[in-house]
mmCIF file of all heavy atoms in Angstrom:
data_model
loop_
_atom_site.group_PDB
_atom_site.id
_atom_site.type_symbol
_atom_site.label_atom_id
_atom_site.label_comp_id
_atom_site.label_asym_id
_atom_site.label_seq_id
_atom_site.Cartn_x
_atom_site.Cartn_y
_atom_site.Cartn_z
ATOM 1 N N ALA S 309 -53.397 -8.585 12.391
ATOM 2 C CA ALA S 309 -53.344 -8.175 10.981
ATOM 3 C C ALA S 309 -52.282 -8.921 10.219
ATOM 4 O O ALA S 309 -52.268 -9.027 9.019
ATOM 5 C CB ALA S 309 -53.083 -6.700 10.898
ATOM 6 N N PHE S 310 -51.308 -9.541 10.964
ATOM 7 C CA PHE S 310 -50.189 -10.176 10.327
ATOM 8 C C PHE S 310 -50.624 -11.516 9.701
ATOM 9 O O PHE S 310 -51.564 -12.152 10.193
ATOM 10 C CB PHE S 310 -49.116 -10.407 11.383
ATOM 11 C CG PHE S 310 -47.757 -10.584 10.821
ATOM 12 C CD1 PHE S 310 -47.051 -9.481 10.345
ATOM 13 C CD2 PHE S 310 -47.199 -11.835 10.727
ATOM 14 C CE1 PHE S 310 -45.812 -9.691 9.805
ATOM 15 C CE2 PHE S 310 -45.952 -12.021 10.182
ATOM 16 C CZ PHE S 310 -45.247 -10.936 9.729
ATOM 17 N N PRO S 311 -49.994 -11.923 8.587
ATOM 18 C CA PRO S 311 -50.296 -13.252 8.068
ATOM 19 C C PRO S 311 -49.954 -14.269 9.116
ATOM 20 O O PRO S 311 -48.793 -14.611 9.364
ATOM 21 C CB PRO S 311 -49.392 -13.398 6.858
ATOM 22 C CG PRO S 311 -48.977 -12.024 6.512
ATOM 23 C CD PRO S 311 -49.040 -11.193 7.771
ATOM 24 N N PHE S 313 -50.413 -17.517 9.569
ATOM 25 C CA PHE S 313 -49.755 -18.788 9.273
ATOM 26 C C PHE S 313 -48.255 -18.628 9.140
ATOM 27 O O PHE S 313 -47.487 -19.478 9.589
ATOM 28 C CB PHE S 313 -50.348 -19.390 8.013
ATOM 29 C CG PHE S 313 -49.984 -20.812 7.787
ATOM 30 C CD1 PHE S 313 -50.542 -21.821 8.552
ATOM 31 C CD2 PHE S 313 -49.019 -21.169 6.834
ATOM 32 C CE1 PHE S 313 -50.167 -23.127 8.394
ATOM 33 C CE2 PHE S 313 -48.664 -22.503 6.659
ATOM 34 C CZ PHE S 313 -49.233 -23.460 7.433
ATOM 35 N N VAL S 314 -47.852 -17.516 8.530
ATOM 36 C CA VAL S 314 -46.423 -17.215 8.402
ATOM 37 C C VAL S 314 -45.801 -17.047 9.769
ATOM 38 O O VAL S 314 -44.716 -17.553 10.063
ATOM 39 C CB VAL S 314 -46.223 -15.935 7.550
ATOM 40 C CG1 VAL S 314 -44.789 -15.541 7.502
ATOM 41 C CG2 VAL S 314 -46.739 -16.170 6.153
ATOM 42 N N LEU S 315 -46.535 -16.341 10.633
ATOM 43 C CA LEU S 315 -46.057 -16.156 12.011
ATOM 44 C C LEU S 315 -45.874 -17.509 12.723
ATOM 45 O O LEU S 315 -44.847 -17.747 13.381
ATOM 46 C CB LEU S 315 -47.082 -15.323 12.747
ATOM 47 C CG LEU S 315 -46.665 -14.802 14.126
ATOM 48 C CD1 LEU S 315 -45.450 -13.922 13.975
ATOM 49 C CD2 LEU S 315 -47.801 -14.054 14.751
ATOM 50 N N MET S 317 -45.290 -20.380 11.372
ATOM 51 C CA MET S 317 -44.127 -21.012 10.758
ATOM 52 C C MET S 317 -42.831 -20.476 11.371
ATOM 53 O O MET S 317 -41.969 -21.247 11.776
ATOM 54 C CB MET S 317 -44.067 -20.673 9.267
ATOM 55 C CG MET S 317 -44.574 -21.737 8.338
ATOM 56 S SD MET S 317 -44.503 -21.050 6.649
ATOM 57 C CE MET S 317 -42.783 -21.023 6.334
ATOM 58 N N ALA S 318 -42.762 -19.169 11.450
ATOM 59 C CA ALA S 318 -41.553 -18.535 11.988
ATOM 60 C C ALA S 318 -41.329 -18.970 13.442
ATOM 61 O O ALA S 318 -40.191 -19.215 13.874
ATOM 62 C CB ALA S 318 -41.651 -17.018 11.910
ATOM 63 N N ALA S 321 -40.019 -22.362 13.691
ATOM 64 C CA ALA S 321 -38.606 -22.334 13.297
ATOM 65 C C ALA S 321 -37.754 -21.850 14.474
ATOM 66 O O ALA S 321 -36.662 -22.404 14.737
ATOM 67 C CB ALA S 321 -38.412 -21.424 12.122
ATOM 68 N N ALA S 322 -38.245 -20.840 15.178
ATOM 69 C CA ALA S 322 -37.447 -20.262 16.264
ATOM 70 C C ALA S 322 -37.405 -21.209 17.475
ATOM 71 O O ALA S 322 -36.369 -21.324 18.125
ATOM 72 C CB ALA S 322 -38.018 -18.910 16.673
ATOM 73 N N LEU S 398 -57.152 -26.633 11.307
ATOM 74 C CA LEU S 398 -56.642 -26.313 9.949
ATOM 75 C C LEU S 398 -55.175 -25.891 10.050
ATOM 76 O O LEU S 398 -54.344 -26.307 9.219
ATOM 77 C CB LEU S 398 -57.432 -25.186 9.322
ATOM 78 C CG LEU S 398 -58.740 -25.566 8.674
ATOM 79 C CD1 LEU S 398 -59.352 -24.352 7.976
ATOM 80 C CD2 LEU S 398 -58.542 -26.673 7.673
ATOM 81 N N GLY S 402 -52.048 -27.850 8.591
ATOM 82 C CA GLY S 402 -51.282 -27.139 7.590
ATOM 83 C C GLY S 402 -49.805 -27.193 7.925
ATOM 84 O O GLY S 402 -48.944 -27.450 7.052
ATOM 85 N N PHE S 405 -48.569 -30.562 7.312
ATOM 86 C CA PHE S 405 -48.515 -30.815 5.853
ATOM 87 C C PHE S 405 -47.226 -30.305 5.235
ATOM 88 O O PHE S 405 -46.628 -30.985 4.389
ATOM 89 C CB PHE S 405 -49.703 -30.123 5.162
ATOM 90 C CG PHE S 405 -49.646 -30.190 3.653
ATOM 91 C CD1 PHE S 405 -50.022 -31.374 3.003
ATOM 92 C CD2 PHE S 405 -49.225 -29.143 2.899
ATOM 93 C CE1 PHE S 405 -49.953 -31.480 1.624
ATOM 94 C CE2 PHE S 405 -49.181 -29.222 1.510
ATOM 95 C CZ PHE S 405 -49.536 -30.389 0.886
ATOM 96 N N ILE S 406 -46.717 -29.145 5.697
ATOM 97 C CA ILE S 406 -45.475 -28.634 5.141
ATOM 98 C C ILE S 406 -44.274 -29.243 5.814
ATOM 99 O O ILE S 406 -43.134 -28.884 5.501
ATOM 100 C CB ILE S 406 -45.402 -27.111 5.200
ATOM 101 C CG1 ILE S 406 -45.487 -26.584 6.612
ATOM 102 C CG2 ILE S 406 -46.440 -26.448 4.334
ATOM 103 C CD1 ILE S 406 -45.342 -25.100 6.710
ATOM 104 N N VAL S 421 -52.131 -36.352 4.114
ATOM 105 C CA VAL S 421 -52.379 -35.649 2.849
ATOM 106 C C VAL S 421 -51.052 -35.382 2.178
ATOM 107 O O VAL S 421 -50.903 -35.556 0.953
ATOM 108 C CB VAL S 421 -53.130 -34.330 3.107
ATOM 109 C CG1 VAL S 421 -53.257 -33.541 1.799
ATOM 110 C CG2 VAL S 421 -54.512 -34.592 3.705
ATOM 111 N N ALA S 425 -49.973 -36.715 -1.460
ATOM 112 C CA ALA S 425 -49.806 -35.744 -2.514
ATOM 113 C C ALA S 425 -48.898 -36.300 -3.613
ATOM 114 O O ALA S 425 -49.078 -36.025 -4.794
ATOM 115 C CB ALA S 425 -49.205 -34.450 -1.970
ATOM 116 N N ILE S 428 -51.043 -38.335 -6.160
ATOM 117 C CA ILE S 428 -52.262 -37.822 -6.716
ATOM 118 C C ILE S 428 -52.203 -37.757 -8.224
ATOM 119 O O ILE S 428 -53.171 -38.025 -8.945
ATOM 120 C CB ILE S 428 -52.612 -36.415 -6.100
ATOM 121 C CG1 ILE S 428 -54.071 -36.042 -6.366
ATOM 122 C CG2 ILE S 428 -51.750 -35.303 -6.642
ATOM 123 C CD1 ILE S 428 -55.037 -36.693 -5.454
ATOM 124 N N THR S 429 -51.012 -37.468 -8.772
ATOM 125 C CA THR S 429 -50.921 -37.347 -10.242
ATOM 126 C C THR S 429 -50.927 -38.722 -10.879
ATOM 127 O O THR S 429 -50.996 -38.845 -12.116
ATOM 128 C CB THR S 429 -49.637 -36.611 -10.682
ATOM 129 O OG1 THR S 429 -48.564 -37.150 -9.928
ATOM 130 C CG2 THR S 429 -49.750 -35.145 -10.414
ATOM 131 N N SER S 430 -50.823 -39.801 -10.056
ATOM 132 C CA SER S 430 -50.981 -41.111 -10.664
ATOM 133 C C SER S 430 -52.377 -41.670 -10.322
ATOM 134 O O SER S 430 -52.641 -42.875 -10.508
ATOM 135 C CB SER S 430 -49.875 -42.039 -10.223
ATOM 136 O OG SER S 430 -49.700 -41.930 -8.826
ATOM 137 N N GLY S 431 -53.271 -40.808 -9.828
ATOM 138 C CA GLY S 431 -54.669 -41.214 -9.704
ATOM 139 C C GLY S 431 -55.076 -41.903 -8.395
ATOM 140 O O GLY S 431 -56.161 -42.391 -8.280
ATOM 141 N N TRP S 433 -56.440 -41.188 -5.565
ATOM 142 C CA TRP S 433 -57.173 -40.110 -4.916
ATOM 143 C C TRP S 433 -57.477 -40.341 -3.461
ATOM 144 O O TRP S 433 -57.563 -39.422 -2.655
ATOM 145 C CB TRP S 433 -58.477 -39.818 -5.689
ATOM 146 C CG TRP S 433 -59.341 -41.023 -5.785
ATOM 147 C CD1 TRP S 433 -59.288 -41.981 -6.759
ATOM 148 C CD2 TRP S 433 -60.352 -41.429 -4.902
ATOM 149 N NE1 TRP S 433 -60.174 -42.962 -6.552
ATOM 150 C CE2 TRP S 433 -60.869 -42.645 -5.384
ATOM 151 C CE3 TRP S 433 -60.910 -40.901 -3.710
ATOM 152 C CZ2 TRP S 433 -61.916 -43.333 -4.756
ATOM 153 C CZ3 TRP S 433 -61.949 -41.600 -3.095
ATOM 154 C CH2 TRP S 433 -62.437 -42.788 -3.613
ATOM 155 N N GLY S 440 -58.578 -35.617 3.900
ATOM 156 C CA GLY S 440 -59.104 -34.297 3.615
ATOM 157 C C GLY S 440 -60.537 -34.167 4.065
ATOM 158 O O GLY S 440 -60.943 -33.157 4.644
ATOM 159 N N LEU S 443 -60.683 -33.866 7.803
ATOM 160 C CA LEU S 443 -60.360 -32.486 8.193
ATOM 161 C C LEU S 443 -61.535 -31.553 7.973
ATOM 162 O O LEU S 443 -61.943 -30.781 8.857
ATOM 163 C CB LEU S 443 -59.218 -31.969 7.305
ATOM 164 C CG LEU S 443 -57.804 -32.126 7.858
ATOM 165 C CD1 LEU S 443 -56.791 -31.772 6.776
ATOM 166 C CD2 LEU S 443 -57.620 -31.197 9.030
ATOM 167 N N MET S 444 -62.125 -31.652 6.779
ATOM 168 C CA MET S 444 -63.204 -30.765 6.406
ATOM 169 C C MET S 444 -64.402 -30.976 7.340
ATOM 170 O O MET S 444 -64.953 -29.990 7.855
ATOM 171 C CB MET S 444 -63.626 -31.047 4.987
ATOM 172 C CG MET S 444 -64.534 -29.998 4.420
ATOM 173 S SD MET S 444 -65.317 -30.613 2.921
ATOM 174 C CE MET S 444 -66.769 -31.371 3.627
ATOM 175 N N LEU S 448 -65.896 -28.276 9.866
ATOM 176 C CA LEU S 448 -67.302 -27.895 9.638
ATOM 177 C C LEU S 448 -68.127 -28.047 10.922
ATOM 178 O O LEU S 448 -68.872 -27.174 11.279
ATOM 179 C CB LEU S 448 -67.882 -28.815 8.545
ATOM 180 C CG LEU S 448 -69.281 -28.459 8.037
ATOM 181 C CD1 LEU S 448 -69.272 -27.141 7.308
ATOM 182 C CD2 LEU S 448 -69.842 -29.563 7.140
ATOM 183 N N THR S 467 -76.027 -13.732 10.894
ATOM 184 C CA THR S 467 -75.827 -13.167 9.534
ATOM 185 C C THR S 467 -76.399 -14.111 8.507
ATOM 186 O O THR S 467 -76.245 -15.308 8.637
ATOM 187 C CB THR S 467 -74.333 -12.935 9.239
ATOM 188 O OG1 THR S 467 -73.619 -14.112 9.628
ATOM 189 C CG2 THR S 467 -73.806 -11.735 9.955
ATOM 190 N N PHE X 167 -39.116 -7.877 16.162
ATOM 191 C CA PHE X 167 -39.572 -9.244 16.290
ATOM 192 C C PHE X 167 -38.688 -10.240 15.525
ATOM 193 O O PHE X 167 -38.264 -11.257 16.085
ATOM 194 C CB PHE X 167 -41.034 -9.358 15.806
ATOM 195 C CG PHE X 167 -41.595 -10.747 15.905
ATOM 196 C CD1 PHE X 167 -41.990 -11.261 17.123
ATOM 197 C CD2 PHE X 167 -41.750 -11.526 14.781
ATOM 198 C CE1 PHE X 167 -42.483 -12.538 17.224
ATOM 199 C CE2 PHE X 167 -42.251 -12.791 14.856
ATOM 200 C CZ PHE X 167 -42.633 -13.289 16.098
ATOM 201 N N LEU X 171 -36.329 -13.132 17.043
ATOM 202 C CA LEU X 171 -36.494 -14.457 16.517
ATOM 203 C C LEU X 171 -35.114 -15.068 16.199
ATOM 204 O O LEU X 171 -34.809 -16.202 16.537
ATOM 205 C CB LEU X 171 -37.329 -14.388 15.245
ATOM 206 C CG LEU X 171 -38.308 -15.542 14.995
ATOM 207 C CD1 LEU X 171 -39.229 -15.714 16.132
ATOM 208 C CD2 LEU X 171 -39.067 -15.230 13.718
ATOM 209 N N LEU X 175 -33.267 -18.338 17.993
ATOM 210 C CA LEU X 175 -33.091 -19.504 17.137
ATOM 211 C C LEU X 175 -32.051 -20.463 17.676
ATOM 212 O O LEU X 175 -31.017 -20.012 18.231
ATOM 213 C CB LEU X 175 -32.674 -19.102 15.736
ATOM 214 C CG LEU X 175 -33.779 -18.449 14.921
ATOM 215 C CD1 LEU X 175 -33.189 -18.001 13.575
ATOM 216 C CD2 LEU X 175 -34.878 -19.451 14.660
ATOM 217 N N PRO X 176 -32.317 -21.734 17.562
ATOM 218 C CA PRO X 176 -31.305 -22.714 18.060
ATOM 219 C C PRO X 176 -30.055 -22.669 17.174
ATOM 220 O O PRO X 176 -30.127 -22.299 16.015
ATOM 221 C CB PRO X 176 -32.030 -24.058 17.891
ATOM 222 C CG PRO X 176 -33.055 -23.800 16.844
ATOM 223 C CD PRO X 176 -33.462 -22.366 16.965
ATOM 224 N N ARG X 279 -74.755 -19.539 0.775
ATOM 225 C CA ARG X 279 -74.301 -19.687 2.183
ATOM 226 C C ARG X 279 -73.626 -21.026 2.396
ATOM 227 O O ARG X 279 -72.616 -21.125 3.045
ATOM 228 C CB ARG X 279 -75.518 -19.569 3.103
ATOM 229 C CG ARG X 279 -75.188 -19.746 4.581
ATOM 230 C CD ARG X 279 -76.407 -19.890 5.404
ATOM 231 N NE ARG X 279 -77.115 -18.627 5.413
ATOM 232 C CZ ARG X 279 -77.383 -17.990 6.593
ATOM 233 N NH1 ARG X 279 -77.105 -18.546 7.707
ATOM 234 N NH2 ARG X 279 -78.032 -16.849 6.578
ATOM 235 N N VAL X 286 -64.651 -22.413 3.682
ATOM 236 C CA VAL X 286 -63.659 -22.145 4.740
ATOM 237 C C VAL X 286 -63.212 -23.420 5.453
ATOM 238 O O VAL X 286 -62.255 -23.406 6.201
ATOM 239 C CB VAL X 286 -64.197 -21.160 5.803
ATOM 240 C CG1 VAL X 286 -64.213 -19.753 5.250
ATOM 241 C CG2 VAL X 286 -65.545 -21.575 6.300
ATOM 242 N N CYS X 287 -63.932 -24.516 5.240
ATOM 243 C CA CYS X 287 -63.622 -25.761 5.943
ATOM 244 C C CYS X 287 -62.616 -26.623 5.225
ATOM 245 O O CYS X 287 -62.011 -27.526 5.804
ATOM 246 C CB CYS X 287 -64.873 -26.558 6.210
ATOM 247 S SG CYS X 287 -66.007 -25.714 7.262
ATOM 248 N N VAL X 288 -62.493 -26.407 3.902
ATOM 249 C CA VAL X 288 -61.594 -27.265 3.145
ATOM 250 C C VAL X 288 -60.208 -26.620 3.144
ATOM 251 O O VAL X 288 -60.068 -25.539 2.645
ATOM 252 C CB VAL X 288 -62.072 -27.447 1.688
ATOM 253 C CG1 VAL X 288 -61.232 -28.481 0.964
ATOM 254 C CG2 VAL X 288 -63.516 -27.875 1.679
ATOM 255 N N PRO X 289 -59.199 -27.326 3.688
ATOM 256 C CA PRO X 289 -57.865 -26.752 3.671
ATOM 257 C C PRO X 289 -57.352 -26.590 2.234
ATOM 258 O O PRO X 289 -57.688 -27.460 1.376
ATOM 259 C CB PRO X 289 -57.012 -27.776 4.419
ATOM 260 C CG PRO X 289 -57.905 -28.838 4.867
ATOM 261 C CD PRO X 289 -59.260 -28.659 4.303
ATOM 262 N N PHE X 291 -54.538 -27.134 0.954
ATOM 263 C CA PHE X 291 -53.704 -28.203 0.421
ATOM 264 C C PHE X 291 -54.541 -29.368 -0.035
ATOM 265 O O PHE X 291 -54.141 -30.105 -0.950
ATOM 266 C CB PHE X 291 -52.603 -28.610 1.391
ATOM 267 C CG PHE X 291 -53.054 -28.915 2.771
ATOM 268 C CD1 PHE X 291 -53.409 -30.203 3.117
ATOM 269 C CD2 PHE X 291 -53.066 -27.932 3.734
ATOM 270 C CE1 PHE X 291 -53.806 -30.457 4.432
ATOM 271 C CE2 PHE X 291 -53.458 -28.195 5.033
ATOM 272 C CZ PHE X 291 -53.849 -29.463 5.392
ATOM 273 N N VAL X 292 -55.734 -29.524 0.564
ATOM 274 C CA VAL X 292 -56.588 -30.620 0.115
ATOM 275 C C VAL X 292 -57.319 -30.252 -1.176
ATOM 276 O O VAL X 292 -57.345 -30.993 -2.158
ATOM 277 C CB VAL X 292 -57.619 -31.020 1.194
ATOM 278 C CG1 VAL X 292 -58.598 -32.034 0.674
ATOM 279 C CG2 VAL X 292 -56.859 -31.578 2.417
ATOM 280 N N LEU X 295 -54.996 -30.323 -4.177
ATOM 281 C CA LEU X 295 -54.698 -31.684 -4.684
ATOM 282 C C LEU X 295 -55.883 -32.293 -5.357
ATOM 283 O O LEU X 295 -55.712 -33.005 -6.381
ATOM 284 C CB LEU X 295 -54.243 -32.544 -3.482
ATOM 285 C CG LEU X 295 -52.863 -32.214 -2.928
ATOM 286 C CD1 LEU X 295 -52.601 -32.888 -1.640
ATOM 287 C CD2 LEU X 295 -51.797 -32.625 -3.959
ATOM 288 N N TYR X 299 -56.269 -33.688 -9.164
ATOM 289 C CA TYR X 299 -56.762 -35.001 -9.505
ATOM 290 C C TYR X 299 -57.840 -34.895 -10.611
ATOM 291 O O TYR X 299 -57.794 -35.632 -11.585
ATOM 292 C CB TYR X 299 -57.357 -35.693 -8.261
ATOM 293 C CG TYR X 299 -58.001 -37.014 -8.555
ATOM 294 C CD1 TYR X 299 -57.219 -38.127 -8.903
ATOM 295 C CD2 TYR X 299 -59.390 -37.162 -8.540
ATOM 296 C CE1 TYR X 299 -57.793 -39.310 -9.204
ATOM 297 C CE2 TYR X 299 -59.970 -38.377 -8.823
ATOM 298 C CZ TYR X 299 -59.166 -39.491 -9.158
ATOM 299 O OH TYR X 299 -59.755 -40.677 -9.458
ATOM 300 N N TYR X 303 -55.537 -35.319 -13.809
ATOM 301 C CA TYR X 303 -55.527 -36.752 -13.969
ATOM 302 C C TYR X 303 -56.775 -37.249 -14.705
ATOM 303 O O TYR X 303 -56.693 -37.986 -15.690
ATOM 304 C CB TYR X 303 -55.437 -37.458 -12.619
ATOM 305 C CG TYR X 303 -55.419 -38.951 -12.705
ATOM 306 C CD1 TYR X 303 -54.267 -39.648 -13.058
ATOM 307 C CD2 TYR X 303 -56.581 -39.689 -12.449
ATOM 308 C CE1 TYR X 303 -54.266 -40.998 -13.216
ATOM 309 C CE2 TYR X 303 -56.574 -41.048 -12.583
ATOM 310 C CZ TYR X 303 -55.433 -41.728 -12.935
ATOM 311 O OH TYR X 303 -55.427 -43.092 -13.064
ATOM 312 N N SER X 416 -54.099 -10.669 3.501
ATOM 313 C CA SER X 416 -53.179 -11.159 4.524
ATOM 314 C C SER X 416 -53.308 -12.669 4.704
ATOM 315 O O SER X 416 -52.297 -13.360 4.795
ATOM 316 C CB SER X 416 -53.486 -10.416 5.812
ATOM 317 O OG SER X 416 -52.956 -11.071 6.887
ATOM 318 N N GLY X 420 -50.450 -15.988 3.857
ATOM 319 C CA GLY X 420 -50.179 -17.183 4.624
ATOM 320 C C GLY X 420 -50.482 -18.434 3.828
ATOM 321 O O GLY X 420 -49.676 -19.396 3.829
ATOM 322 N N VAL X 423 -47.985 -20.274 1.303
ATOM 323 C CA VAL X 423 -47.037 -21.320 1.680
ATOM 324 C C VAL X 423 -47.535 -22.681 1.288
ATOM 325 O O VAL X 423 -46.824 -23.482 0.653
ATOM 326 C CB VAL X 423 -46.807 -21.302 3.203
ATOM 327 C CG1 VAL X 423 -45.811 -22.326 3.609
ATOM 328 C CG2 VAL X 423 -46.395 -19.914 3.666
ATOM 329 N N LEU X 424 -48.817 -22.941 1.591
ATOM 330 C CA LEU X 424 -49.383 -24.275 1.320
ATOM 331 C C LEU X 424 -49.619 -24.472 -0.148
ATOM 332 O O LEU X 424 -49.289 -25.513 -0.713
ATOM 333 C CB LEU X 424 -50.696 -24.421 2.069
ATOM 334 C CG LEU X 424 -50.570 -24.343 3.581
ATOM 335 C CD1 LEU X 424 -51.923 -24.242 4.265
ATOM 336 C CD2 LEU X 424 -49.840 -25.584 4.092
ATOM 337 N N VAL X 428 -47.966 -27.255 -2.777
ATOM 338 C CA VAL X 428 -48.752 -28.241 -3.493
ATOM 339 C C VAL X 428 -48.414 -28.155 -5.000
ATOM 340 O O VAL X 428 -48.245 -29.183 -5.648
ATOM 341 C CB VAL X 428 -50.258 -27.997 -3.324
ATOM 342 C CG1 VAL X 428 -51.059 -28.800 -4.265
ATOM 343 C CG2 VAL X 428 -50.656 -28.335 -1.872
ATOM 344 N N LEU X 439 -39.933 -21.880 2.927
ATOM 345 C CA LEU X 439 -40.222 -23.183 3.518
ATOM 346 C C LEU X 439 -39.082 -24.154 3.378
ATOM 347 O O LEU X 439 -38.686 -24.853 4.308
ATOM 348 C CB LEU X 439 -41.499 -23.759 2.823
ATOM 349 C CG LEU X 439 -42.003 -25.071 3.403
ATOM 350 C CD1 LEU X 439 -42.316 -24.904 4.869
ATOM 351 C CD2 LEU X 439 -43.204 -25.530 2.631
ATOM 352 N N LEU X 442 -36.487 -23.198 5.774
ATOM 353 C CA LEU X 442 -36.901 -23.569 7.114
ATOM 354 C C LEU X 442 -36.623 -25.011 7.426
ATOM 355 O O LEU X 442 -36.106 -25.355 8.461
ATOM 356 C CB LEU X 442 -38.375 -23.205 7.292
ATOM 357 C CG LEU X 442 -39.023 -23.487 8.637
ATOM 358 C CD1 LEU X 442 -38.281 -22.713 9.702
ATOM 359 C CD2 LEU X 442 -40.490 -23.069 8.591
ATOM 360 N N LEU X 443 -36.972 -25.867 6.473
ATOM 361 C CA LEU X 443 -36.794 -27.307 6.695
ATOM 362 C C LEU X 443 -35.332 -27.670 6.683
ATOM 363 O O LEU X 443 -34.951 -28.719 7.235
ATOM 364 C CB LEU X 443 -37.565 -28.085 5.606
ATOM 365 C CG LEU X 443 -39.087 -27.947 5.700
ATOM 366 C CD1 LEU X 443 -39.793 -28.712 4.627
ATOM 367 C CD2 LEU X 443 -39.616 -28.398 7.072
ATOM 368 N N TYR X 447 -31.873 -20.104 8.432
ATOM 369 C CA TYR X 447 -32.857 -19.181 8.981
ATOM 370 C C TYR X 447 -32.850 -17.775 8.354
ATOM 371 O O TYR X 447 -33.876 -17.092 8.442
ATOM 372 C CB TYR X 447 -32.669 -19.080 10.499
ATOM 373 C CG TYR X 447 -32.978 -20.374 11.178
ATOM 374 C CD1 TYR X 447 -31.993 -21.128 11.778
ATOM 375 C CD2 TYR X 447 -34.285 -20.893 11.122
ATOM 376 C CE1 TYR X 447 -32.297 -22.351 12.361
ATOM 377 C CE2 TYR X 447 -34.578 -22.113 11.715
ATOM 378 C CZ TYR X 447 -33.562 -22.823 12.304
ATOM 379 O OH TYR X 447 -33.872 -24.037 12.877
ATOM 380 N N PHE X 453 -38.064 -13.508 4.584
ATOM 381 C CA PHE X 453 -39.445 -13.761 4.125
ATOM 382 C C PHE X 453 -40.471 -13.094 5.067
ATOM 383 O O PHE X 453 -41.399 -12.441 4.601
ATOM 384 C CB PHE X 453 -39.642 -15.289 4.042
ATOM 385 C CG PHE X 453 -41.049 -15.696 3.793
ATOM 386 C CD1 PHE X 453 -41.668 -15.421 2.595
ATOM 387 C CD2 PHE X 453 -41.758 -16.385 4.806
ATOM 388 C CE1 PHE X 453 -42.975 -15.843 2.376
ATOM 389 C CE2 PHE X 453 -43.075 -16.758 4.571
ATOM 390 C CZ PHE X 453 -43.696 -16.487 3.342
ATOM 391 N N ALA X 458 -44.377 -8.865 5.999
ATOM 392 C CA ALA X 458 -44.860 -7.749 6.825
ATOM 393 C C ALA X 458 -44.883 -6.475 6.038
ATOM 394 O O ALA X 458 -45.859 -5.703 6.112
ATOM 395 C CB ALA X 458 -43.965 -7.609 8.053
ATOM 396 N N PHE X 461 -47.609 -6.534 3.511
ATOM 397 C CA PHE X 461 -48.864 -6.410 4.225
ATOM 398 C C PHE X 461 -49.173 -4.961 4.601
ATOM 399 O O PHE X 461 -50.293 -4.471 4.405
ATOM 400 C CB PHE X 461 -48.844 -7.300 5.483
ATOM 401 C CG PHE X 461 -49.972 -7.079 6.319
ATOM 402 C CD1 PHE X 461 -51.195 -7.539 5.919
ATOM 403 C CD2 PHE X 461 -49.865 -6.332 7.448
ATOM 404 C CE1 PHE X 461 -52.303 -7.289 6.669
ATOM 405 C CE2 PHE X 461 -50.973 -6.049 8.201
ATOM 406 C CZ PHE X 461 -52.205 -6.542 7.823
#
Side-chain angles (χ1 to χ4, degrees):
Chain S
F310 202 75
F313 191 75
V314 173
L315 190 62
M317 261 176 71
L398 279 185
F405 173 77
I406 60 177
V421 175
I428 196 79
T429 47
S430 46
W433 56 273
L443 266 171
M444 192 195 89
L448 188 68
T467 47
Chain X
F167 180 74
L171 215 56
L175 288 177
R279 178 190 291 236
V286 285
C287 297
V288 187
F291 50 90
V292 173
L295 288 168
Y299 176 71
Y303 180 79
S416 162
V423 181
L424 298 169
V428 169
L439 183 60
L442 180 58
L443 294 179
Y447 295 112
F453 170 68
F461 172 73

